[in-house]
Amino acid sequence: MRSKIVAGNWKMNKNAAETEALLTELAAKLPDTNAQVMVAPTFVNLAGAVRSLESSVIQVIAQNMHFAESGAYTGEISADMLLGIGVETVILGHSERRAYFKEDDAILAQKVKAALDKNMKVMFCFGEELEDRKSGNHFNVVESQLKNALFSLDASAWSSIILAYEPVWAIGTGETASPEQAQEMHAFIRKTITDAYDASIAGNVSILYGGSVKPANAKEIFGKPDVDGGLIGGASLKADDFVAIIEAI
Ligand code: PGA
């Protein structure tokens, strides 16, 4: 079911004590909202975060996972390990994973399947690079990212998918897609899903925008009809900024 979501991707930031401090502040300042609020601390701080937020509505989600159930994959984390500490949603396909760790569509398709097989929810990230936007190829890139990683899923799997459109040129750069650019792409994403599946699946999936969302621009972006919330990087590391973004929805 389509819902409003504001999620904070903390990336490789905050040690255990800092994680605890930020979560305490966030839980205390959390405004009344219909939106689901999620935070993604680093792996080593996930279990502590779940414990700290036991009595809060804030959900703890993971930034990544491996596709294998278990085995000789040094340094990796499986779906069962996440579920074992109470983490039921995982971000997959973030552009930093694609760029720095060479996660391509084929690997991501495996990861998505592995998470869904374990009844986890997937927040799937995708988006074009600056050259794609400049050459007018951005719609093709987004369509192929969706098709290659998601369109072989059964229709029933889509109730466990959240999409996060994150144009790479807007991530951590201070440059944001305009609300019109976000809306245009989100509408295109829904049309692409309608063509591949049907209008009900397209209408029910939550599509978040990510890329330099901050208190100053959140309201305008979230005001667009096909934007269901945001995946927030830098601005999620300060409680007051993240709270202001939640208030904007
Ligand atoms: P940013 O990151 O808000 O710092 O641009 C967004 C993201 O990478 O999810």
Side-chain angles (χ1 to χ4, degrees):
M1 197 56 206
R2 190 160 158 189
S3 44
K4 301 274 183 200
I5 297 169
V6 179
N9 174 13
W10 292 9
K11 310 190 179 182
M12 196 173 74
N13 293 294
K14 306 283 179 192
N15 63 25
E18 290 163 347
T19 297
E20 179 67 27
L22 180 53
L23 292 177
T24 305
E25 191 181 354
L26 262 184
K29 292 182 172 173
L30 191 71
D32 230 359
T33 175
N34 292 331
Q36 291 175 33
V37 178
M38 305 177 180
V39 289
T42 61
F43 281 135
V44 290
N45 294 316
L46 282 177
V50 170
R51 278 194 298 275
S52 310
L53 293 175
E54 224 161 35
S55 57
S56 168
V57 294
I58 301 173
Q59 290 173 41
V60 177
I61 70 175
Q63 298 176 17
N64 181 33
M65 60 167 249
H66 198 267
F67 53 75
E69 283 220 42
S70 64
Y73 299 98
T74 302
E76 293 292 328
I77 304 280
S78 71
D80 280 335
M81 292 170 190
L82 295 174
L83 289 167
I85 56 165
V87 173
E88 295 171 348
T89 300
V90 61
I91 298 172
L92 294 175
H94 192 280
S95 65
E96 287 147 19
R97 300 293 320 171
R98 293 176 191 258
Y100 306 143
F101 303 98
K102 307 285 169 271
E103 294 190 9
D104 58 15
D105 290 348
I107 290 174
L108 292 170
Q110 278 183 277
K111 289 190 172 201
V112 169
K113 185 177 178 305
L116 296 176
D117 282 349
K118 295 284 178 179
N119 291 321
M120 292 187 76
K121 281 198 162 46
V122 171
M123 183 180 290
F124 184 77
C125 304
F126 55 97
E128 81 283 2
E129 300 195 22
L130 186 58
E131 307 85 80
D132 305 319
R133 170 84 35 187
K134 281 188 173 156
S135 63
N137 207 29
H138 45 300
F139 293 117
N140 289 335
V141 168
V142 161
E143 183 170 2
S144 79
Q145 287 172 328
L146 290 172
K147 183 169 166 246
N148 294 340
L150 301 180
F151 284 0
S152 52
L153 295 174
D154 287 344
S156 61
W158 279 81
S159 57
S160 299
I161 301 280
I162 299 161
L163 297 178
Y165 167 60
E166 299 203 305
V168 178
W169 48 272
I171 295 178
T173 57
E175 189 170 345
T176 324
S178 68
E180 291 69 33
Q181 285 174 320
Q183 169 57 29
E184 182 186 37
M185 184 58 88
H186 285 218
F188 172 78
I189 293 162
R190 276 194 221 282
K191 184 186 170 298
T192 305
I193 299 170
T194 302
D195 293 346
Y197 291 88
D198 59 47
S200 141
I201 288 176
N204 277 322
V205 67
S206 298
I207 309 179
L208 315 185
Y209 168 80
S212 299
V213 176
K214 23 185 188 283
N217 60 24
K219 197 164 183 167
E220 242 195 311
I221 296 171
F222 295 164
K224 292 296 177 189
D226 285 303
V227 178
D228 300 309
L231 179 55
I232 322 297
S236 70
L237 296 171
K238 288 194 193 122
D240 289 336
D241 283 357
F242 194 52
V243 162
I245 292 169
I246 296 165
E247 276 164 350
I249 209 164

